Amino acid sequence: MGDVGVKADELSALLQERLGFRARDLHHALRKAGRRVPRRLRVEGEYIALAQHMELTPKLAKQIDSARVAAGYRDLKRFVEEINPRDRVNDGLLSIIGPQALGLIVLFALSLVVLRWRGLI
């Protein structure tokens, strides 16, 4: 396994760690990440995954664009390192609790209006 394979394995492990899933390789990790990774970075990651397979065959290894692999690796790694798993959990909880809290506030305000309207307050 050459330089591209090491980079692909590192990106795959980083994606799995930060986004909390399991995948066989970088291609499957990017598919599981889906829209959580921007399209441009997914395309670059797919090229790195393709280059990893091309690297195994000597004739195809000569066709790998090493500058594109390096730039894609750098950009994708920077993006994935900025992902905070704790923030993902907090955002998920807030997306569940937020609408319920808003509903309770509206219900409370509506009940106050009804009580005031009936003269009980």
Side-chain angles (χ1 to χ4, degrees):
M1 184 181 316
D3 187 41
V4 177
V6 171
K7 289 179 180 181
D9 289 341
E10 183 180 341
L11 286 174
S12 176
L14 196 57
L15 276 168
Q16 291 177 44
E17 173 193 335
R18 294 296 176 121
L19 297 178
F21 57 77
R22 298 190 52 79
R24 293 188 305 233
D25 57 3
L26 180 59
H27 173 73
H28 290 96
L30 287 169
R31 289 191 55 142
K32 284 192 174 186
R35 292 184 180 185
R36 291 179 278 187
V37 176
R39 177 176 288 188
R40 183 184 69 80
L41 295 177
R42 274 196 322 264
V43 169
E44 291 303 316
E46 288 294 334
Y47 182 77
I48 294 170
L50 175 66
Q52 180 185 17
H53 292 292
M54 289 173 61
E55 185 178 49
L56 301 176
T57 308
K59 285 187 178 182
L60 294 177
K62 295 175 185 177
Q63 298 176 4
I64 296 173
D65 183 4
S66 59
R68 182 175 176 188
V69 169
Y73 170 76
R74 182 190 65 237
D75 295 342
L76 187 57
K77 184 175 180 184
R78 183 180 308 138
F79 175 78
V80 174
E81 284 178 343
E82 290 175 359
I83 295 173
N84 187 351
R86 176 171 260 159
D87 286 345
R88 286 187 52 243
V89 171
N90 289 343
D91 291 345
L93 288 174
L94 288 176
S95 69
I96 293 170
I97 294 172
Q100 292 178 352
L102 179 64
L104 287 174
I105 291 170
V106 169
L107 181 65
F108 180 71
L110 187 60
S111 64
L112 286 178
V113 168
V114 168
L115 289 174
R116 178 76 174 150
W117 180 45
R118 297 187 101 201
L120 299 172
I121 296 181

